[in-house]
């Protein structure tokens, strides 16, 4: 489980975001980071019973401040991204732990131009299946709606009056679920994280099928 000490440390770091304070408290950070990595691996173990994870990216606490006006040297969260085994399985999982800002998310953050065009073409031809997925009771209860940055108008080559333009103009296809600090430190949090990831699977499996076929529905692998 995620300990209260983790949230307490991140709160202190938010209020003391400087190298001197971090150096004085680095030992505690390393212990909490170790606990978070262990927690992550428990989640991966559970997910791997029904999915295939081939990439675990634990984000470093150090911020890249080269091009940022905010020169705070440290992030005030723990974050990890889990990638499914490509090319057959698409979509990525994400866990974010931060005081008053924790969430579980996933989807397609930066699809390349080819994948994005393929997704848009699918929605242009038939958006009934994706509509059924994102309007499903469990999807709506867990995530609310499909999120992500989008264009103000239709992308080049697409009709701005198309019935699926709300989906076609998206540049990202994301879902997320927020958690309170109390929920994060609850003994059942790991189960909630895994169940949230599993709730993404119909969406991921559909997108995997789309990205694994051409416009005629023929496998490209």
């Amino acid at each position: 489980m995620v300990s209260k000490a983790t949230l307490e440390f991140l709160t202190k770091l938010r209020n003391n975001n400087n190298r001197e304070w971090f150096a004085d408290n680095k030992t505690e950070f390393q212990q909490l980071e170790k606990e978070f990595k262990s927690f992550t691996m428990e989640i991966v173990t559970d997910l791997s019973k029904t999915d295939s994870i081939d990439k675990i990216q634990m984000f470093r606490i150090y911020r890249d401040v080269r091009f940022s006006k905010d020169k705070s040297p440290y992030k005030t969260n723990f974050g990890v991204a889990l990638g499914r085994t490509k090319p057959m399985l698409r979509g990525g999982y994400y866990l974010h732990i931060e005081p008053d800002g924790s969430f579980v998310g996933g989807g397609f953050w930066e699809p390349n131009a080819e994948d994005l065009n393929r997704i848009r073409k699918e929605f242009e031809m038939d958006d009934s299946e994706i509509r059924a997925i994102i309007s499903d009771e469990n999807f709506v209860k867990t995530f609310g709606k499909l999120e992500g940055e989008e264009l103000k108008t239709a992308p080049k080559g697409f009709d701005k009056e198309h019935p699926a333009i709300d989906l076609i103009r998206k540049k990202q296809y994301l879902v997320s679920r927020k958690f309170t600090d109390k929920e994060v430190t609850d003994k059942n949090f790991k189960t909630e994280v895994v169940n949230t990831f599993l709730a993404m699977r119909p969406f991921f499996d559909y997108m995997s099928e789309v990205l694994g076929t051409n416009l005629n529905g023929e496998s490209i692998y």
Side-chain angles (χ1 to χ4, degrees):
M1 60 183 292
V2 177
S3 66
K4 291 182 179 180
T6 295
L7 297 182
E8 290 171 355
F9 178 89
L10 292 172
T11 298
K12 293 176 184 177
L13 178 58
R14 180 185 292 169
N15 296 327
N16 300 276
N17 203 324
N18 60 75
R19 291 179 175 83
E20 292 75 19
W21 184 90
F22 190 81
D24 290 341
N25 294 273
K26 191 170 184 178
T27 299
E28 182 181 3
F29 164 74
Q30 291 173 331
Q31 177 58 38
L32 295 173
E33 182 183 46
K34 182 178 179 181
E35 291 177 7
F36 181 68
K37 288 180 178 179
S38 177
F39 180 73
T40 295
M41 293 313 299
E42 290 180 17
I43 291 171
V44 171
T45 296
D46 284 357
L47 266 183
S48 297
K49 295 174 182 177
T50 58
D51 206 343
S52 180
I53 306 298
D54 73 345
K55 184 178 181 182
I56 302 172
Q57 182 180 4
M58 193 79 62
F59 293 98
R60 301 174 74 235
I61 197 73
Y62 307 98
R63 295 183 65 247
D64 183 353
V65 300
R66 291 175 298 173
F67 309 106
S68 175
K69 292 182 180 180
D70 180 4
K71 299 302 180 181
S72 302
Y74 306 105
K75 300 173 185 174
T76 56
N77 65 79
F78 283 131
V80 60
L82 308 176
R84 304 176 79 208
T85 302
K86 292 183 177 180
M88 300 302 291
L89 303 179
R90 300 298 189 93
Y93 304 106
Y94 179 68
L95 171 61
H96 184 98
I97 300 298
E98 181 175 11
D100 300 316
S102 298
F103 68 91
V104 169
F108 300 79
W109 181 259
E110 292 182 332
N112 60 45
E114 182 179 356
D115 284 352
L116 184 56
N117 187 62
R118 175 68 184 89
I119 293 168
R120 286 169 169 168
K121 285 291 186 181
E122 185 70 24
F123 295 161
E124 182 182 45
M125 290 192 304
D126 182 8
D127 64 340
S128 61
E129 192 166 351
I130 185 63
R131 297 283 188 197
I133 290 170
I134 63 178
S135 63
D136 178 78
E137 182 179 358
N138 189 49
F139 184 97
V140 174
K141 180 181 178 181
T142 306
F143 306 115
K145 63 180 181 178
L146 192 62
E147 303 171 349
E149 294 182 4
E150 55 187 52
L151 300 171
K152 292 182 179 179
T153 186
K156 185 177 180 179
F158 292 87
D159 181 4
K160 65 179 182 180
E161 301 299 331
H162 193 283
I165 194 61
D166 59 317
L167 297 171
I168 292 171
R169 70 186 182 196
K170 283 188 176 296
K171 299 188 292 182
Q172 302 170 316
Y173 298 90
L174 307 172
V175 295
S176 66
R177 176 188 176 189
K178 296 179 180 179
F179 288 88
T180 66
D181 290 355
K182 184 178 180 180
E183 289 171 330
V184 167
T185 56
D186 187 87
K187 61 183 178 62
N188 294 317
F189 181 56
K190 186 191 75 168
T191 299
E192 288 299 317
V193 172
V194 173
N195 286 341
T196 304
F197 285 153
L198 292 178
M200 301 178 194
R201 285 288 299 281
F203 170 49
F204 283 5
D205 291 345
Y206 165 76
M207 295 287 264
S208 296
E209 182 178 355
V210 169
L211 294 173
T213 58
N214 60 26
L215 291 174
N216 292 321
E218 302 163 332
S219 175
I220 61 176
Y221 303 118

